[in-house]
């Protein structure tokens, strides 16, 4: 995954926490995660570009988790979800009596995120009147609460995200050019799901397990036609749409079989491949783990190992391998790290 050099137990634990909910190992996703690993240890501002539903908040959290600010606050705010007349107060806070309805002092998100990370989603929706104030706090790391002349100093690492075309907004004078350049220090572009289709089986497995466990409704089989339909569908709503449709499918499932939740009018014509697709959840998971192990030459642990690529803890992957009867060709099935021979132990080396 283009990982930087790491060693030791603490590094292994650190690595396992950082991408735990980022599912997939497609080249498009791996390229993004390599960029994340490079920029996260710095304090540079990151601007995440991506369509709605591509997982921008997960990437922002990963940046925070890798950084030296991990353990401090990760504060988030969706700029599009706050009424314009309240957004300034949400960002910078206000004093009691600053405006009608300000019945008590309020601490803003920048203050809450001091020494930590502030994630501003939909940054393109920041109104023009607020853009100079946001630029100031990014440049000077200082601001005043509404209704106060006292200047507050903060140490905040900003990660912003948008699905809008900010350069075009700059041309149309809807977004300040100086603020855009200050935000765009390190851009990260998230690919839409249609550009990382290899990750769809892994995402389906993840969401099926998540919702079946939550609903107490075991799913044992995913029909070949359903997987094929998912692989062919364009996913305009990206991972969020996939997640919501899997939740619907688990609700509708009978006898442990996952139905195809795509409306008939939206299900594309499927060309059956000569290569068989996994037909059960167990088969899907087994195929995914085997492909990942083969891609990393059967290294389980460490930053470049299969566990990291699958977003699993090393011990969790070993447990799954034992459960699924997976072992390296020529070696017996894994029964746990303590039972491995000297020849097998390099398979779970931490570096």
């Amino acid at each position: 995954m283009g990982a930087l050099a790491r060693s030791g137990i603490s590094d292994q634990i650190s690595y396992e926490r950082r991408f735990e909910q980022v599912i997939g190992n497609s080249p498009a996703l791996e390229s993004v995660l390599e960029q994340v690993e490079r920029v996260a240890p710095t304090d540079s501002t990151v601007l995440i570009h991506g369509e709605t539903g591509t997982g921008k908040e997960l990437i922002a959290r990963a940046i925070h988790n890798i950084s030296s600010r991990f353990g401090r606050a990760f504060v988030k705010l969706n700029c599009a979800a706050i009424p314009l007349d309240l957004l300034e107060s949400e960002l910078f806070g206000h004093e009691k009596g600053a405006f009608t309805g300000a019945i008590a002092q309020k601490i803003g998100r920048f203050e809450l995120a001091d020494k930590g990370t502030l994630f501003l989603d939909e940054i393109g929706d920041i109104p023009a009147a607020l853009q100079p104030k946001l630029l100031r706090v990014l440049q000077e790391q200082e601001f005043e609460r509404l209704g106060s002349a006292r200047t507050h100093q903060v140490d905040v690492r900003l990660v912003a995200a948008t699905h809008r075309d900010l350069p075009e907004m700059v041309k149309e004078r809807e977004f300040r050019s100086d603020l855009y350049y200050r935000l765009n220090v390190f851009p990260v572009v998230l690919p839409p799901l249609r550009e990382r289709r290899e990750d769809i089986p892994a995402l389906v497995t993840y969401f099926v397990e998540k919702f079946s466990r939550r609903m107490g409704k075991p799913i044992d089989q995913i029909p070949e036609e359903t997987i094929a339909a998912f692989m062919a569908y364009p996913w305009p709503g990206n991972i969020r749409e996939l997640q919501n449709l899997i939740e619907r499918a688990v609700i509708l499932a009978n006898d442990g079989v996952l139905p195809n939740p795509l409306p008939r009018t939206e299900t594309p014509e499927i060309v059956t491949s000569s290569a068989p697709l996994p037909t059960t959840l167990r088969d899907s998971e087994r195929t995914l783990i085997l492909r990942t192990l083969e891609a990393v030459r059967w290294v389980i642990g460490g930053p470049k190992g299969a566990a990291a690529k699958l977003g699993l803890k090393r011990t969790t992957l070993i447990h799954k391998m034992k459960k699924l009867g997976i072992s390296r060709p020529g070696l017996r099935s894994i029964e746990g790290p303590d039972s491995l021979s000297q020849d097998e132990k390099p398979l779970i080396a931490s570096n």
Side-chain angles (χ1 to χ4, degrees):
M1 186 179 295
L4 304 179
R6 300 176 193 86
S7 61
I9 295 175
S10 61
D11 287 341
Q12 176 64 29
I13 294 171
S14 171
Y15 193 85
E16 288 173 347
R17 78 172 183 239
R18 51 190 70 180
F19 298 128
E20 58 181 336
Q21 289 185 310
V22 181
I23 308 300
N25 59 2
S26 63
L29 181 61
E30 297 243 341
S31 176
V32 168
L33 299 187
E34 181 176 353
Q35 293 178 63
V36 167
E37 287 193 306
R38 290 185 179 277
V39 73
T42 74
D43 276 335
S44 297
T45 301
V46 179
L47 180 59
I48 305 171
H49 301 265
E51 296 179 8
T52 299
T54 48
K56 295 187 284 292
E57 184 180 334
L58 285 180
I59 295 301
R61 282 190 177 276
I63 292 170
H64 174 72
N65 289 348
I66 299 174
S67 75
S68 61
R69 295 172 185 264
F70 180 74
R72 300 283 187 167
F74 176 83
V75 179
K76 59 183 180 178
L77 178 68
N78 187 324
C79 300
I82 307 295
L84 298 184
D85 56 342
L86 296 179
L87 186 55
E88 184 174 3
S89 173
E90 285 293 330
L91 287 170
F92 306 116
H94 65 250
E95 299 292 345
K96 180 179 179 179
F99 52 84
T100 303
I103 59 175
Q105 184 188 73
K106 177 182 176 65
I107 304 300
R109 304 298 173 99
F110 269 98
E111 213 166 337
L112 291 172
D114 190 27
K115 304 295 190 300
T117 303
L118 176 61
F119 173 54
L120 294 183
D121 199 4
E122 302 301 347
I123 194 74
D125 287 87
I126 291 278
L130 269 184
Q131 291 178 24
K133 295 183 178 181
L134 180 58
L135 178 62
R136 180 198 170 198
V137 73
L138 292 179
Q139 291 180 332
E140 309 296 335
Q141 293 279 288
E142 62 181 31
F143 66 94
E144 290 84 35
R145 293 183 194 144
L146 284 173
S148 172
R150 179 188 170 194
T151 299
H152 293 266
Q153 299 285 336
V154 289
D155 174 15
V156 173
R157 199 267 180 86
L158 183 74
V159 179
T162 184
H163 73 281
R164 303 183 68 176
D165 187 343
L166 292 187
E168 184 61 31
M169 292 179 68
V170 169
K171 288 181 183 178
E172 297 295 327
R173 302 197 175 187
E174 297 174 356
F175 202 87
R176 290 179 63 110
S177 60
D178 48 3
L179 177 57
Y180 169 67
Y181 296 130
R182 184 62 186 80
L183 291 170
N184 200 43
V185 174
F186 194 92
V188 173
V189 181
L190 288 189
L193 187 55
R194 62 184 173 275
E195 292 180 8
R196 42 177 290 216
R197 292 183 186 274
E198 310 99 303
D199 294 332
I200 289 175
L203 287 162
V204 170
T205 298
Y206 174 80
F207 289 129
V208 167
E209 289 182 342
K210 173 182 176 180
F211 291 118
S212 64
R213 183 169 57 250
R214 179 183 297 177
M215 299 177 195
K217 196 172 182 181
I219 302 295
D220 304 312
Q221 184 176 357
I222 305 175
E224 177 180 327
E225 315 85 70
T226 300
I227 290 289
F230 287 158
M231 294 293 286
Y233 183 63
W235 298 109
N238 294 294
I239 298 172
R240 184 178 296 127
E241 181 183 12
L242 174 63
Q243 175 179 341
N244 293 338
L245 283 174
I246 293 297
E247 182 175 6
R248 179 194 304 172
V250 172
I251 293 171
L252 296 173
N254 292 315
D255 301 322
V257 179
L258 189 79
N260 179 2
L262 291 168
R264 289 183 179 273
T265 56
E266 296 181 8
T267 300
E269 182 179 350
I270 300 166
V271 178
T272 304
S273 169
S274 58
L277 290 169
T279 57
T280 68
L281 188 59
R282 178 186 174 91
D283 289 341
S284 299
E285 186 173 38
R286 195 174 194 280
T287 299
L288 174 65
I289 290 174
L290 278 171
R291 286 178 179 174
T292 304
L293 285 166
E294 289 168 357
V296 299
R297 298 184 179 181
W298 291 82
V299 175
I300 295 177
K304 295 183 180 179
K309 288 182 175 291
L310 291 166
L312 299 173
K313 293 183 178 179
R314 179 180 58 82
T315 52
T316 301
L317 177 56
I318 291 172
H319 173 74
K320 286 180 177 288
M321 290 172 66
K322 176 184 175 183
K323 179 181 175 183
L324 296 169
I326 296 174
S327 63
R328 185 171 183 169
L331 297 179
R332 56 187 168 78
S333 298
I334 284 184
E335 299 174 356
D338 295 333
S339 64
L340 296 176
S341 68
Q342 291 300 317
D343 291 335
E344 292 173 286
K345 285 181 180 178
L347 298 181
I348 60 168
S350 62
N351 50 43

